[in-house]
Amino acid sequence: MKKRLSKLKSPADCRYPLKQITKAVVPAAGLGTRFLPATKAQPKEMLPIYDKPAIQYVIEEAVAAGIRDILVVTGRGKQAIENHFDRSIELEENLKSQGKRIALQTVREISDMVNLHYVRQKEARGLGHAVLCAKSFVGNEPFAVFLGDDIIDHPRPAIMQLMKIWEKYQAPVLAVEEIPRARTKAYGIIKPEVISNRLYKVLDLIEKPSSSQAPSRLGIVGRYLLTPDIFGFLEKTRPGTSGEIQLTDALRRLNRCHPVYAWQFEGRRHDIGNKLEFVKATLAYALKDKSAREPLLNYLRDITSS
Ligand code: UTP
């Protein structure tokens, strides 16, 4: 193992010397238990954030960053995701005959956006297991992972910010965010060594530590750039106390023999699997729409003043 680490010291020695990352994996097979009953029969990734399902924001971020092939990891009850990105000939014919050109263009753009592939995670055995389902799709290339329920809003997409770090170090990069100490139990937390503003070398990672055991307040959130090395570690990772195979546990092992970096991204993140964050995201995106902004602000003033 030590030998491999020394071999990977400089970017030029990278075993995956790809200039551009073109593949992404979007795990979207979770059960969404925090958002029941809304998610009993519909995927949380399909909940609308103003006028688009959450997962469309994620796919659009990937496309904006030059990703060409995306594998969505789905599961039972997630067919709505495939239907959304598929063509809907009947709907298109209907819009065409009614002369609704803008709506027609919008639905066509959704199905033409990118090459989408699907794999089913037969049981929701955790995020790590969902990523492992992408092993044959990924092959021998570095790849991006986007969590289907994490939307990050910034003019420079979060994944592009991570790609900049990849270009320099050619090593896995995790997106991190400073979270309140009381919330460390909900995140994988890194032990960081500061390299420069927002950039850290990961010294260790701990899945869901208590606030007293957390080595920092930097929590791993829904964007990753990984190398295929992760699959060997995922295969060896046993389920944790929750019964799930955790990506953080495999990353921890990977980090013992390969350098891993963390980037504190610029942007506003919404974990739409959380009810309050979902409402905030819906409001934030609605307020961006010029035609909705004033009436919405008036409505908010009205309901909050009484
Ligand atoms: P979460 O832990 O937020 O999703 O996983 P969850 O398990 O659906 O939610 P709760 O906690 O029960 O409310 C983050 C992402 O990983 C996917 C989820 O769909 C989500 O987009 N995931 C999670 C999988 O694809 N498979 C799993 O087994 C678990």
Side-chain angles (χ1 to χ4, degrees):
M1 291 293 206
K2 269 190 180 145
K3 256 187 187 163
R4 272 161 94 191
L5 176 61
S6 55
K7 264 190 193 166
L8 275 173
K9 260 192 226 155
S10 94
D13 292 335
C14 181
R15 288 183 293 149
Y16 311 103
L18 254 199
K19 280 246 158 55
Q20 204 191 344
I21 292 174
T22 62
K23 284 185 181 174
V25 177
V26 180
L31 300 177
T33 55
R34 285 171 296 155
F35 217 142
L36 284 168
T39 49
K40 182 166 178 259
Q42 75 168 322
K44 68 173 163 184
E45 296 81 6
M46 284 300 293
L47 293 173
I49 305 298
Y50 191 43
D51 58 355
K52 278 188 257 181
I55 194 167
Q56 190 175 328
Y57 291 89
V58 172
I59 301 283
E60 285 175 355
E61 181 185 331
V63 172
I67 299 280
R68 291 193 212 109
D69 284 279
I70 301 176
L71 178 77
V72 184
V73 183
T74 67
R76 225 182 319 280
K78 300 276 182 169
Q79 296 88 334
I81 298 177
E82 280 187 59
N83 292 341
H84 180 70
F85 291 103
D86 197 4
R87 281 198 68 180
S88 176
I89 304 295
E90 196 184 339
L91 175 63
E92 287 181 24
E93 288 302 326
N94 179 292
L95 295 172
K96 204 166 162 185
S97 67
Q98 293 192 46
K100 295 184 175 169
R101 286 204 349 264
I102 294 175
L104 177 63
Q105 191 185 340
T106 305
V107 296
R108 280 207 177 134
E109 276 170 7
I110 294 169
S111 51
D112 290 342
M113 231 185 299
V114 68
N115 297 323
L116 280 169
H117 312 258
Y118 298 92
V119 66
R120 263 175 96 124
Q121 185 187 19
K122 294 195 183 85
E123 258 181 276
R125 293 176 58 200
L127 175 59
H129 182 257
V131 172
L132 188 53
C133 292
K135 185 177 174 186
S136 57
F137 165 80
V138 165
N140 200 34
E141 291 178 27
F143 64 104
V145 175
F146 295 73
L147 298 197
D149 58 353
D150 246 353
I151 299 178
I152 302 180
D153 189 18
H154 193 268
R156 198 158 68 96
I159 203 73
M160 283 174 89
Q161 300 177 32
L162 265 59
M163 283 171 171
K164 265 267 157 294
I165 311 301
W166 166 267
E167 278 168 25
K168 179 157 184 205
Y169 294 96
Q170 307 262 304
V173 192
L174 318 176
V176 292
E177 178 175 66
E178 206 161 68
I179 53 157
R181 224 171 232 285
R183 299 268 303 136
T184 56
K185 258 213 145 332
Y187 290 84
I189 303 288
I190 65 160
K191 181 176 179 190
E193 177 188 305
V194 179
I195 294 182
S196 58
N197 186 26
R198 293 183 177 272
L199 179 62
Y200 306 92
K201 188 156 193 296
V202 175
L203 300 180
D204 200 2
L205 309 91
I206 302 174
E207 179 65 11
K208 300 188 171 64
S210 63
S211 56
S212 58
Q213 282 170 335
S216 75
R217 283 175 46 208
L218 293 170
I220 305 167
V221 300
R223 302 290 181 272
Y224 308 72
L225 291 182
L226 300 176
T227 56
D229 301 294
I230 193 68
F231 296 118
F233 294 96
L234 281 169
E235 278 161 348
K236 288 189 205 116
T237 301
R238 303 270 70 87
T241 43
S242 61
E244 297 194 332
I245 295 175
Q246 302 291 359
L247 180 57
T248 308
D249 292 340
L251 285 168
R252 184 178 204 196
R253 290 168 158 207
L254 173 90
N255 187 41
R256 288 188 187 137
C257 42
H258 297 269
V260 173
Y261 295 87
W263 173 251
Q264 193 177 347
F265 64 89
E266 291 178 84
R268 188 184 288 276
R269 180 180 76 99
H270 300 283
D271 165 11
I272 64 95
N274 164 321
K275 291 174 206 179
L276 181 59
E277 280 301 310
F278 168 81
V279 174
K280 286 189 198 166
T282 307
L283 277 177
Y285 281 92
L287 287 169
K288 280 168 177 256
D289 178 348
K290 282 190 194 122
S291 66
R293 189 176 171 84
E294 267 315 302
L296 184 54
L297 285 173
N298 289 338
Y299 175 70
L300 287 173
R301 270 181 222 116
D302 189 26
I303 58 169
T304 49
S305 65
S306 55

